[in-house]
Amino acid sequence: MKFITKRIHAFLDYPVAIALIVLPFLLGLGSSNPIALQLSVATGIAAFILTLLTDHHLGVFRVIPYKFHLIVDFLVAVVFILAPFIFAFEGIDAYYYWINGIAVLSVVSLHKTEIAV
């Protein structure tokens, strides 16, 4: 049952990007490896820019196709799931990335294919 539409996804993008920038500081990420904080902030900034450039109703410049945006989201999910293994994140650092990776993967997987009319 796929129910996440392009419109719903667009409304999630900006708050998620901001959360990726702010939450690492609030949660004190980086205790097992400073990259845990830096990766999230960098990804949040990139996600914000990607959303501004994506061709959907909340995109400001609309130069990046929405399908490409979904591919980037999928790749971010994979990187987030693998990051704790690659960078030896432990504790909250690892859980943060696994939870976010699974959440993003779920959103992409539950995306409803829309037919252009």
Side-chain angles (χ1 to χ4, degrees):
M1 175 171 57
K2 297 185 177 196
F3 60 90
I4 298 180
T5 63
K6 184 177 181 179
R7 185 171 186 81
I8 291 170
H9 189 122
F11 280 115
L12 293 172
D13 279 340
Y14 288 108
V16 167
I18 292 167
L20 288 170
I21 296 167
V22 174
L23 278 177
F25 296 101
L26 295 177
L27 296 173
L29 293 189
S31 61
S32 65
N33 186 333
I35 293 173
L37 184 138
Q38 298 161 358
L39 179 61
S40 183
V41 173
T43 303
I45 292 167
F48 194 86
I49 293 167
L50 178 67
T51 301
L52 287 172
L53 297 174
T54 297
D55 184 17
H56 58 44
H57 73 287
L58 293 179
V60 176
F61 301 104
R62 301 181 186 187
V63 294
I64 294 176
Y66 184 67
K67 275 189 173 185
F68 180 78
H69 180 113
L70 289 175
I71 291 167
V72 170
D73 282 353
F74 174 79
L75 294 173
V76 166
V78 171
V79 168
F80 273 26
I81 290 168
L82 295 177
F85 301 107
I86 296 167
F87 298 113
F89 296 165
E90 296 176 353
I92 187 79
D93 293 348
Y95 295 126
Y96 175 85
Y97 280 92
W98 287 327
I99 290 167
N100 276 301
I102 291 167
V104 173
L105 193 58
S106 297
V107 167
V108 172
S109 298
L110 295 172
H111 196 274
K112 183 178 181 178
T113 304
E114 297 172 16
I115 300 170
V117 180

